[in-house]
Amino acid sequence: MWYVFFSEDKAGSMEQRKAARPDHLARLQALKDQGKLLVAGPCPAIDCEDPGEAGFTGSVVIAEFDSLEQAQAWADADPYMAAGVYQRTIVKPYKKVLP
């Protein structure tokens, strides 16, 4: 089943985000390579593709796992969580309808 991950950044965590980004992206690439990643990306803090110093407020990922427990465990092990970037991640089942 698909699951949506809503992650919220801690204020002032941009430096930690930059430092942990390669490990964070490697995990997403692994999901993509397995055909289990629908979409992933950050949420800019301002209405702009490249927010610069404004940074990001969090991230959204939609990925496939066998269970909610597996999805939550994957979220809990995210390098952004370990680095103190995310203050929390909400994981919910997701039903893809379109396209």
Side-chain angles (χ1 to χ4, degrees):
M1 174 162 207
W2 293 105
Y3 294 90
V4 61
F5 301 75
F6 298 103
S7 300
E8 187 176 343
D9 284 13
K10 292 180 182 176
S13 63
M14 189 61 165
E15 289 307 312
Q16 294 98 313
R17 179 182 266 274
K18 289 177 183 176
R21 189 169 191 260
D23 292 338
H24 173 77
L25 292 179
R27 295 177 80 232
L28 292 170
Q29 185 64 50
L31 285 178
K32 181 179 178 232
D33 292 347
Q34 297 168 25
K36 294 184 174 189
L37 183 65
L38 184 62
V39 66
C43 301
I46 59 175
D47 191 11
C48 181
E49 280 269 331
D50 181 3
E53 291 301 312
F56 301 94
T57 60
S59 304
V60 173
V61 172
I62 300 176
E64 188 176 29
F65 289 89
D66 291 334
S67 68
L68 180 59
E69 291 78 20
Q70 281 186 355
Q72 186 65 59
W74 185 86
D76 292 343
D78 194 297
Y80 280 177
M81 190 63 80
V85 176
Y86 291 156
Q87 64 182 354
R88 68 181 179 148
T89 297
I90 297 169
V91 182
K92 294 184 176 189
Y94 176 79
K95 181 178 177 178
K96 183 178 183 271
V97 176
L98 293 171

